[in-house]
Coordinates of all heavy atoms in Angstrom, one line a residue:
M1 N 67.3 68.3 229.9 CA 65.9 67.9 229.9 C 65.3 67.9 231.3 O 65.9 67.3 232.2 CB 65.8 66.5 229.3 CG 64.6 66.1 228.6 SD 64.0 67.1 227.2 CE 65.5 67.5 226.3
P2 N 64.1 68.5 231.4 CA 63.5 68.5 232.8 C 63.2 67.0 233.2 O 62.9 66.2 232.3 CB 62.2 69.2 232.5 CG 62.4 70.0 231.3 CD 63.4 69.3 230.5
E3 N 63.3 66.8 234.5 CA 63.1 65.4 235.0 C 61.7 64.9 234.6 O 60.7 65.7 234.8 CB 63.3 65.4 236.5 CG 63.3 64.0 237.0 CD 63.8 63.9 238.4 OE1 64.7 64.7 238.8 OE2 63.4 63.0 239.2
G4 N 61.6 63.7 234.1 CA 60.3 63.2 233.8 C 59.8 63.4 232.4 O 58.8 62.8 231.9
L5 N 60.5 64.3 231.6 CA 60.2 64.5 230.3 C 61.2 63.9 229.3 O 62.4 64.0 229.6 CB 60.1 66.0 230.0 CG 58.9 66.8 230.5 CD1 59.0 68.3 230.0 CD2 57.6 66.2 230.0
T6 N 60.7 63.3 228.3 CA 61.7 62.8 227.2 C 61.9 64.0 226.3 O 61.2 65.0 226.3 CB 61.0 61.7 226.4 OG1 59.9 62.2 225.7 CG2 60.6 60.5 227.3
R7 N 62.9 63.8 225.4 CA 63.2 64.8 224.4 C 62.0 65.1 223.5 O 61.6 66.2 223.2 CB 64.4 64.4 223.5 CG 64.7 65.4 222.4 CD 65.8 65.0 221.5 NE 67.1 65.0 222.2 CZ 67.8 66.1 222.7 NH1 67.2 67.3 222.7 NH2 68.9 66.0 223.2
R8 N 61.3 64.0 223.1 CA 60.1 64.1 222.3 C 59.0 64.9 223.1 O 58.3 65.7 222.5 CB 59.6 62.8 221.8 CG 58.4 62.9 220.9 CD 57.9 61.6 220.4 NE 57.4 60.8 221.4 CZ 56.9 59.6 221.2 NH1 56.8 59.1 220.0 NH2 56.4 58.9 222.2
D9 N 58.8 64.6 224.4 CA 57.8 65.4 225.1 C 58.1 66.9 225.1 O 57.2 67.7 224.9 CB 57.8 64.9 226.6 CG 57.3 63.5 226.8 OD1 56.7 62.9 225.9 OD2 57.6 62.9 227.9
A10 N 59.4 67.2 225.3 CA 59.7 68.6 225.3 C 59.5 69.2 223.9 O 59.1 70.4 223.8 CB 61.2 68.8 225.8
E11 N 59.8 68.5 222.9 CA 59.6 69.0 221.5 C 58.1 69.1 221.2 O 57.7 70.1 220.5 CB 60.3 68.0 220.5 CG 61.8 68.0 220.5 CD 62.4 66.9 219.7 OE1 61.7 66.0 219.2 OE2 63.7 67.0 219.6
I12 N 57.3 68.2 221.7 CA 55.9 68.4 221.5 C 55.3 69.6 222.2 O 54.6 70.4 221.6 CB 55.1 67.1 222.0 CG1 55.4 65.9 221.0 CG2 53.6 67.4 222.2 CD1 54.8 64.6 221.5
L13 N 55.8 69.9 223.4 CA 55.4 71.1 224.1 C 55.8 72.3 223.4 O 55.1 73.3 223.3 CB 55.9 71.1 225.6 CG 55.2 70.1 226.5 CD1 55.9 70.0 227.8 CD2 53.7 70.3 226.6
A14 N 57.1 72.3 222.9 CA 57.6 73.5 222.1 C 56.8 73.7 220.9 O 56.5 74.8 220.5 CB 59.1 73.2 221.8
F15 N 56.4 72.6 220.2 CA 55.6 72.7 219.0 C 54.2 73.3 219.3 O 53.7 74.2 218.6 CB 55.4 71.3 218.4 CG 54.5 71.3 217.2 CD1 54.9 71.8 215.9 CD2 53.3 70.7 217.2 CE1 54.1 71.8 214.8 CE2 52.4 70.7 216.1 CZ 52.8 71.2 214.9
E16 N 53.6 72.8 220.4 CA 52.3 73.3 220.8 C 52.3 74.8 221.1 O 51.4 75.5 220.9 CB 51.7 72.5 221.9 CG 51.1 71.2 221.5 CD 50.0 71.3 220.6 OE1 49.1 72.2 220.8 OE2 49.9 70.5 219.6
R17 N 53.5 75.2 221.6 CA 53.6 76.6 222.0 C 53.6 77.5 220.8 O 53.2 78.7 220.9 CB 54.9 76.8 222.8 CG 55.0 78.1 223.6 CD 56.3 78.1 224.4 NE 56.5 76.9 225.2 CZ 57.5 76.0 225.1 NH1 58.4 76.2 224.2 NH2 57.6 75.0 225.9
Q18 N 54.0 77.0 219.6 CA 54.1 77.9 218.5 C 53.9 77.2 217.1 O 54.4 77.5 216.1 CB 55.5 78.5 218.4 CG 56.7 77.6 218.5 CD 58.0 78.3 218.7 OE1 58.2 79.4 218.2 NE2 58.9 77.7 219.4
W19 N 52.9 76.3 217.1 CA 52.6 75.5 215.9 C 52.1 76.4 214.7 O 52.3 76.1 213.6 CB 51.7 74.3 216.1 CG 50.3 74.7 216.5 CD1 49.8 74.8 217.8 CD2 49.2 75.1 215.7 NE1 48.5 75.2 217.8 CE2 48.1 75.4 216.5 CE3 49.1 75.2 214.3 CZ2 46.9 75.8 215.9 CZ3 47.9 75.6 213.8 CH2 46.8 75.9 214.6
W20 N 51.5 77.5 215.1 CA 50.9 78.3 214.0 C 52.0 79.0 213.1 O 51.7 79.5 212.1 CB 50.0 79.4 214.6 CG 50.7 80.3 215.5 CD1 51.4 81.4 215.2 CD2 50.8 80.1 216.9 NE1 51.9 82.0 216.4 CE2 51.6 81.2 217.4 CE3 50.3 79.2 217.9 CZ2 51.9 81.3 218.8 CZ3 50.7 79.3 219.2 CH2 51.5 80.4 219.6
K21 N 53.2 79.0 213.6 CA 54.3 79.6 212.8 C 54.7 78.7 211.7 O 55.5 79.1 210.8 CB 55.5 79.9 213.7 CG 55.2 80.9 214.8 CD 56.4 81.2 215.6 CE 56.1 82.2 216.7 NZ 57.3 82.4 217.6
Y22 N 54.3 77.4 211.7 CA 54.6 76.5 210.6 C 53.7 76.7 209.4 O 52.5 76.9 209.6 CB 54.6 75.0 211.1 CG 55.6 74.7 212.1 CD1 55.4 74.9 213.5 CD2 56.9 74.2 211.7 CE1 56.3 74.6 214.4 CE2 57.8 74.0 212.7 CZ 57.5 74.1 214.0 OH 58.5 73.9 215.0
A23 N 54.2 76.6 208.2 CA 53.4 76.8 207.0 C 52.5 75.5 206.9 O 52.9 74.4 207.2 CB 54.3 76.9 205.8
G24 N 51.3 75.7 206.4 CA 50.4 74.6 206.1 C 49.6 74.2 207.3 O 49.6 74.8 208.4
A25 N 49.0 73.1 207.2 CA 48.1 72.5 208.2 C 48.9 72.0 209.4 O 50.1 71.4 209.2 CB 47.2 71.5 207.7
K26 N 48.4 72.0 210.6 CA 49.0 71.5 211.8 C 49.3 70.0 211.6 O 50.4 69.5 212.0 CB 48.2 71.8 213.0 CG 48.8 71.3 214.3 CD 48.0 71.7 215.5 CE 48.6 71.2 216.8 NZ 47.8 71.6 217.9
E27 N 48.3 69.3 211.1 CA 48.5 67.8 210.9 C 49.7 67.5 210.0 O 50.4 66.5 210.3 CB 47.2 67.2 210.3 CG 46.1 67.1 211.4 CD 45.4 68.5 211.6 OE1 45.5 69.4 210.8 OE2 44.7 68.6 212.6
Q28 N 49.9 68.3 209.0 CA 51.0 68.0 208.1 C 52.3 68.3 208.8 O 53.3 67.5 208.7 CB 50.9 68.9 206.8 CG 52.0 68.6 205.8 CD 52.0 67.2 205.3 OE1 50.9 66.6 205.1 NE2 53.1 66.7 205.0
A29 N 52.4 69.3 209.6 CA 53.6 69.6 210.4 C 53.9 68.5 211.4 O 55.0 68.1 211.6 CB 53.4 71.0 211.1
V30 N 52.8 68.0 212.0 CA 53.0 66.8 212.9 C 53.6 65.7 212.2 O 54.5 65.0 212.7 CB 51.6 66.5 213.6 CG1 51.6 65.1 214.2 CG2 51.2 67.5 214.6
R31 N 53.1 65.3 211.0 CA 53.7 64.2 210.3 C 55.1 64.4 209.9 O 55.9 63.5 210.1 CB 52.9 64.0 209.0 CG 51.5 63.4 209.2 CD 50.8 63.2 207.9 NE 49.4 62.9 208.0 CZ 48.9 61.8 208.4 NH1 49.7 60.8 208.7 NH2 47.6 61.6 208.5
E32 N 55.5 65.7 209.5 CA 56.8 66.0 209.1 C 57.8 66.0 210.3 O 58.9 65.5 210.2 CB 56.9 67.3 208.3 CG 56.2 67.2 207.0 CD 56.0 68.5 206.3 OE1 56.6 69.5 206.8 OE2 55.4 68.6 205.2
L33 N 57.4 66.7 211.4 CA 58.3 66.9 212.5 C 58.4 65.6 213.4 O 59.5 65.4 213.9 CB 57.8 68.0 213.4 CG 57.9 69.4 212.7 CD1 57.2 70.5 213.5 CD2 59.4 69.8 212.5
F34 N 57.3 64.9 213.6 CA 57.3 63.8 214.6 C 57.2 62.5 214.0 O 57.2 61.5 214.7 CB 56.2 64.1 215.6 CG 56.4 65.4 216.4 CD1 55.6 66.4 216.1 CD2 57.4 65.5 217.3 CE1 55.7 67.6 216.8 CE2 57.6 66.7 218.0 CZ 56.7 67.8 217.7
D35 N 56.9 62.4 212.7 CA 56.6 61.1 212.0 C 55.5 60.3 212.7 O 55.7 59.1 213.0 CB 57.9 60.3 211.9 CG 57.8 59.2 210.9 OD1 57.0 59.3 209.9 OD2 58.5 58.1 211.1
L36 N 54.5 61.1 213.1 CA 53.3 60.4 213.8 C 52.0 60.8 213.0 O 51.9 61.9 212.4 CB 53.2 61.0 215.2 CG 54.3 60.7 216.2 CD1 54.1 61.5 217.4 CD2 54.3 59.2 216.5
S37 N 51.0 59.9 213.1 CA 49.7 60.3 212.6 C 49.1 61.3 213.6 O 49.5 61.4 214.7 CB 48.8 59.1 212.5 OG 48.4 58.7 213.8
P38 N 48.3 62.2 213.1 CA 47.6 63.2 213.9 C 46.9 62.5 215.1 O 47.0 63.0 216.3 CB 46.7 63.9 213.0 CG 47.3 63.8 211.7 CD 47.9 62.4 211.7
T39 N 46.3 61.4 214.9 CA 45.6 60.7 216.0 C 46.6 60.3 217.1 O 46.3 60.5 218.3 CB 44.9 59.4 215.5 OG1 43.9 59.8 214.5 CG2 44.2 58.7 216.6
R40 N 47.7 59.7 216.7 CA 48.7 59.3 217.7 C 49.3 60.5 218.4 O 49.5 60.5 219.6 CB 49.8 58.4 217.0 CG 50.8 57.9 218.0 CD 50.2 56.9 219.0 NE 51.2 56.5 219.9 CZ 51.0 56.3 221.2 NH1 49.8 56.5 221.7 NH2 51.9 55.9 222.0
Y41 N 49.5 61.5 217.7 CA 50.1 62.8 218.2 C 49.2 63.3 219.3 O 49.6 63.6 220.4 CB 50.3 63.8 217.1 CG 50.7 65.2 217.7 CD1 52.0 65.4 218.0 CD2 49.7 66.2 217.9 CE1 52.4 66.7 218.5 CE2 50.1 67.4 218.4 CZ 51.4 67.6 218.7 OH 51.8 68.9 219.3
Y42 N 47.9 63.4 219.1 CA 46.9 63.9 220.1 C 46.8 63.0 221.2 O 46.6 63.4 222.4 CB 45.6 64.2 219.4 CG 45.7 65.5 218.6 CD1 45.6 65.4 217.2 CD2 46.0 66.7 219.2 CE1 45.7 66.6 216.4 CE2 46.1 67.9 218.4 CZ 45.9 67.8 217.0 OH 46.1 68.9 216.3
Q43 N 46.9 61.6 221.0 CA 46.9 60.7 222.1 C 48.1 61.0 223.1 O 48.0 61.1 224.3 CB 47.0 59.3 221.7 CG 45.7 58.8 221.0 CD 45.9 57.4 220.3 OE1 47.0 57.0 220.1 NE2 44.8 56.8 220.0
L44 N 49.3 61.2 222.5 CA 50.5 61.5 223.2 C 50.4 62.8 223.9 O 50.8 63.0 225.1 CB 51.7 61.5 222.3 CG 52.1 60.1 221.8 CD1 53.2 60.3 220.7 CD2 52.6 59.2 222.9
L45 N 49.9 63.8 223.2 CA 49.7 65.2 223.8 C 48.8 65.1 225.0 O 49.1 65.7 226.0 CB 49.2 66.1 222.7 CG 48.9 67.6 223.2 CD1 50.2 68.2 223.7 CD2 48.3 68.4 222.1
N46 N 47.7 64.4 224.9 CA 46.7 64.4 226.0 C 47.3 63.7 227.2 O 47.1 64.2 228.3 CB 45.4 63.7 225.6 CG 44.5 64.6 224.9 OD1 44.2 65.7 225.4 ND2 44.0 64.2 223.7
A47 N 48.1 62.7 227.0 CA 48.8 62.0 228.1 C 49.8 62.9 228.7 O 50.0 63.0 229.9 CB 49.4 60.7 227.7
L48 N 50.5 63.6 227.8 CA 51.6 64.5 228.3 C 51.1 65.7 229.1 O 51.6 66.0 230.2 CB 52.3 65.1 227.0 CG 53.4 66.1 227.3 CD1 54.5 65.4 228.1 CD2 54.0 66.5 225.9
I49 N 49.9 66.3 228.7 CA 49.5 67.5 229.5 C 48.9 67.1 230.8 O 48.6 67.9 231.7 CB 48.5 68.4 228.7 CG1 47.2 67.6 228.3 CG2 49.2 68.9 227.5 CD1 46.2 68.5 227.7
D50 N 48.7 65.8 231.0 CA 48.2 65.3 232.3 C 49.4 65.0 233.3 O 49.2 64.7 234.4 CB 47.4 64.0 232.2 CG 46.0 64.3 231.6 OD1 45.5 65.4 231.9 OD2 45.4 63.4 231.0
S51 N 50.6 65.0 232.7 CA 51.8 64.7 233.6 C 52.3 65.9 234.4 O 52.3 67.0 233.9 CB 52.9 64.2 232.7 OG 53.6 65.2 232.1
P52 N 52.7 65.6 235.6 CA 53.2 66.7 236.5 C 54.5 67.3 235.9 O 54.8 68.4 236.1 CB 53.5 66.0 237.8 CG 52.6 64.8 237.8 CD 52.5 64.4 236.4
A53 N 55.3 66.4 235.2 CA 56.5 66.9 234.6 C 56.3 68.0 233.6 O 57.0 69.0 233.5 CB 57.3 65.8 234.0
A54 N 55.2 67.8 232.7 CA 54.9 68.8 231.7 C 54.4 70.1 232.4 O 54.8 71.2 232.0 CB 53.9 68.2 230.8
L55 N 53.6 69.9 233.4 CA 53.1 71.1 234.1 C 54.2 71.9 234.7 O 54.3 73.1 234.7 CB 52.1 70.7 235.2 CG 51.4 71.8 236.0 CD1 50.6 72.7 235.1 CD2 50.6 71.2 237.1
A56 N 55.2 71.2 235.3 CA 56.4 71.9 235.9 C 57.2 72.5 234.8 O 57.8 73.6 235.0 CB 57.2 70.9 236.7
H57 N 57.3 71.9 233.6 CA 58.1 72.4 232.5 C 57.6 73.7 231.9 O 58.3 74.7 231.7 CB 58.3 71.4 231.5 CG 59.1 71.8 230.3 ND1 60.4 72.1 230.3 CD2 58.7 72.0 229.0 CE1 60.8 72.4 229.1 NE2 59.8 72.4 228.3
D58 N 56.3 73.7 231.7 CA 55.6 74.9 231.1 C 54.2 75.0 231.6 O 53.2 74.7 230.9 CB 55.6 74.7 229.5 CG 55.3 76.0 228.8 OD1 54.7 76.9 229.4 OD2 55.8 76.1 227.6
P59 N 54.0 75.6 232.8 CA 52.7 75.6 233.4 C 51.7 76.4 232.6 O 50.5 75.9 232.6 CB 53.0 76.2 234.8 CG 54.4 76.7 234.8 CD 55.1 76.1 233.6
M60 N 52.0 77.5 232.1 CA 51.0 78.3 231.4 C 50.5 77.5 230.1 O 49.3 77.5 229.9 CB 51.6 79.7 231.0 CG 51.8 80.6 232.2 SD 52.3 82.2 231.7 CE 50.9 82.8 230.9
L61 N 51.4 77.0 229.4 CA 51.0 76.2 228.2 C 50.1 75.0 228.6 O 49.1 74.8 228.0 CB 52.2 75.7 227.4 CG 51.9 74.8 226.2 CD1 51.1 75.5 225.1 CD2 53.2 74.2 225.7
V62 N 50.6 74.2 229.5 CA 49.8 73.0 229.9 C 48.5 73.4 230.5 O 47.5 72.8 230.1 CB 50.7 72.2 230.9 CG1 49.8 71.1 231.5 CG2 51.9 71.6 230.3
K63 N 48.4 74.4 231.3 CA 47.0 74.8 231.8 C 46.1 75.3 230.6 O 44.9 75.0 230.6 CB 47.2 75.9 232.8 CG 47.8 75.4 234.1 CD 48.0 76.5 235.1 CE 48.6 76.0 236.4 NZ 48.9 77.1 237.3
R64 N 46.7 76.0 229.7 CA 45.9 76.5 228.5 C 45.4 75.3 227.7 O 44.2 75.2 227.3 CB 46.7 77.4 227.6 CG 45.9 77.9 226.4 CD 46.7 78.9 225.6 NE 48.0 78.5 225.1 CZ 48.2 77.8 224.0 NH1 47.2 77.4 223.2 NH2 49.4 77.5 223.7
L65 N 46.3 74.3 227.5 CA 45.9 73.1 226.7 C 44.8 72.3 227.5 O 43.9 71.7 226.9 CB 47.1 72.2 226.4 CG 48.1 72.8 225.4 CD1 49.4 72.0 225.4 CD2 47.5 73.0 224.1
R66 N 45.0 72.2 228.8 CA 44.0 71.5 229.6 C 42.6 72.2 229.5 O 41.6 71.6 229.4 CB 44.4 71.4 231.1 CG 45.5 70.4 231.3 CD 45.9 70.5 232.8 NE 47.0 69.5 233.1 CZ 47.6 69.4 234.3 NH1 47.2 70.2 235.3 NH2 48.5 68.6 234.5
R67 N 42.6 73.6 229.6 CA 41.4 74.3 229.5 C 40.7 74.1 228.1 O 39.5 73.9 228.0 CB 41.6 75.8 229.7 CG 41.7 76.2 231.1 CD 41.7 77.8 231.3 NE 42.5 78.5 230.4 CZ 43.8 78.8 230.6 NH1 44.4 78.4 231.8 NH2 44.5 79.5 229.7
M68 N 41.5 74.1 227.1 CA 41.0 73.9 225.7 C 40.4 72.5 225.6 O 39.3 72.3 225.0 CB 42.1 74.1 224.7 CG 42.5 75.6 224.6 SD 44.0 75.8 223.6 CE 43.6 75.0 222.0
R69 N 41.1 71.5 226.1 CA 40.6 70.1 226.1 C 39.3 70.0 226.8 O 38.3 69.4 226.4 CB 41.6 69.2 226.6 CG 41.2 67.7 226.7 CD 42.2 66.8 227.3 NE 42.5 67.1 228.6 CZ 43.5 66.5 229.4 NH1 44.2 65.6 228.8 NH2 43.7 66.8 230.6
S70 N 39.2 70.6 228.0 CA 38.0 70.5 228.8 C 36.8 71.2 228.1 O 35.7 70.7 228.1 CB 38.3 71.2 230.2 OG 37.1 71.2 231.0
S71 N 37.1 72.3 227.5 CA 36.1 73.1 226.8 C 35.5 72.2 225.6 O 34.3 72.1 225.4 CB 36.6 74.4 226.2 OG 35.7 75.0 225.5
R72 N 36.4 71.6 224.9 CA 36.0 70.7 223.8 C 35.1 69.5 224.3 O 34.1 69.1 223.7 CB 37.2 70.2 223.0 CG 37.8 71.2 222.1 CD 38.8 70.6 221.1 NE 39.9 69.9 221.8 CZ 41.0 70.5 222.2 NH1 41.2 71.8 222.0 NH2 41.9 69.8 222.8
Q73 N 35.6 68.9 225.4 CA 34.8 67.8 226.0 C 33.4 68.2 226.4 O 32.5 67.5 226.2 CB 35.6 67.2 227.2 CG 36.8 66.5 226.8 CD 37.7 66.1 228.1 OE1 37.6 66.7 229.1 NE2 38.5 65.0 227.9
R74 N 33.3 69.4 227.1 CA 32.0 69.9 227.5 C 31.1 70.1 226.2 O 29.9 69.8 226.3 CB 32.1 71.2 228.3 CG 32.5 71.0 229.7 CD 32.3 72.3 230.5 NE 33.0 73.4 230.0 CZ 34.3 73.7 230.3 NH1 35.0 72.9 231.1 NH2 34.9 74.7 229.8
A75 N 31.7 70.7 225.2 CA 30.9 71.0 224.0 C 30.4 69.7 223.3 O 29.3 69.5 222.9 CB 31.7 71.8 223.0
R76 N 31.3 68.7 223.3 CA 30.9 67.3 222.8 C 29.8 66.7 223.6 O 28.8 66.2 223.0 CB 32.1 66.4 222.8 CG 32.7 66.1 221.4 CD 33.7 65.0 221.4 NE 34.6 64.9 222.5 CZ 35.8 65.6 222.7 NH1 36.2 66.4 221.7 NH2 36.5 65.4 223.7
S77 N 29.9 66.8 224.9 CA 28.9 66.2 225.8 C 27.6 66.9 225.6 O 26.5 66.3 225.5 CB 29.3 66.3 227.2 OG 30.4 65.5 227.5
A78 N 27.6 68.2 225.5 CA 26.4 69.0 225.3 C 25.7 68.6 223.9 O 24.5 68.5 223.9 CB 26.7 70.5 225.3
R79 N 26.5 68.5 222.9 CA 25.9 68.1 221.6 C 25.3 66.7 221.7 O 24.2 66.5 221.1 CB 27.0 68.1 220.5 CG 27.3 69.4 219.9 CD 28.1 69.4 218.7 NE 29.4 68.6 218.8 CZ 30.5 69.0 219.2 NH1 30.7 70.3 219.6 NH2 31.6 68.2 219.3
R80 N 26.0 65.8 222.4 CA 25.4 64.4 222.5 C 24.1 64.4 223.3 O 23.2 63.7 223.0 CB 26.4 63.5 223.2 CG 27.3 62.7 222.3 CD 28.0 61.7 223.0 NE 29.4 61.9 222.8 CZ 30.3 62.2 223.7 NH1 30.0 62.2 225.0 NH2 31.6 62.4 223.4
L81 N 24.0 65.3 224.2 CA 22.8 65.4 225.1 C 21.7 66.3 224.5 O 20.6 66.4 225.0 CB 23.1 65.8 226.5 CG 24.0 64.9 227.3 CD1 24.5 65.6 228.5 CD2 23.3 63.6 227.6
G82 N 22.1 67.0 223.4 CA 21.2 67.9 222.7 C 20.9 69.2 223.5 O 19.9 69.8 223.4
V83 N 21.9 69.6 224.3 CA 21.9 70.8 225.1 C 22.7 71.8 224.5 O 23.8 71.6 223.9 CB 22.4 70.5 226.5 CG1 22.4 71.7 227.4 CG2 21.6 69.4 227.2
Q84 N 22.2 73.1 224.5 CA 22.9 74.2 224.0 C 24.1 74.5 225.0 O 23.8 74.7 226.1 CB 22.1 75.4 223.8 CG 21.0 75.3 222.8 CD 21.6 75.1 221.4 OE1 22.6 75.7 221.1 NE2 20.9 74.4 220.5
P85 N 25.3 74.6 224.5 CA 26.4 74.9 225.4 C 26.4 76.4 225.9 O 25.8 77.2 225.4 CB 27.7 74.7 224.6 CG 27.2 74.5 223.1 CD 25.7 74.3 223.1

């Protein structure tokens, strides 16, 4: 296990790398694989992608997830302000 990552952290990163390969909805796969609610899973994922250990473990994935999160945040802010993104 890379230093600073738990087994679950590494499993979450592996899942994010290829979740579309699982049958059904992502939320259902999260419940089955991690025994977590989708809300808790995303809380853990967001904290994880901010960690230097996750970035060192899989830099391309973590950077992609950070970009996606940032894009969603910008879109949410624009909607709240009534601005076209």
Side-chain angles (χ1 to χ4, degrees):
M1 204 60 38
E3 189 167 328
L5 285 184
T6 65
R7 176 180 295 295
R8 181 174 67 178
D9 292 342
E11 290 171 353
I12 287 173
L13 290 174
F15 176 74
E16 282 298 316
R17 198 175 306 114
Q18 54 188 326
W19 66 264
W20 60 86
K21 294 181 182 177
Y22 293 89
K26 182 176 182 181
E27 287 76 18
Q28 184 62 33
V30 164
R31 288 183 192 281
E32 291 172 6
L33 293 171
F34 301 107
D35 194 28
L36 295 169
S37 72
T39 300
R40 182 65 183 141
Y41 173 81
Y42 287 112
Q43 289 170 343
L44 292 172
L45 177 62
N46 277 311
L48 179 60
I49 64 174
D50 287 333
S51 82
L55 183 61
H57 177 68
D58 195 335
M60 290 184 68
L61 173 67
V62 170
K63 288 177 183 179
R64 179 173 56 84
L65 293 172
R66 286 177 179 178
R67 280 193 311 273
M68 290 170 54
R69 177 180 64 184
S70 179
S71 176
R72 286 190 303 270
Q73 287 171 337
R74 279 193 305 275
R76 252 191 324 273
S77 294
R79 280 193 308 272
R80 266 190 239 121
L81 295 172
V83 177
Q84 294 294 329

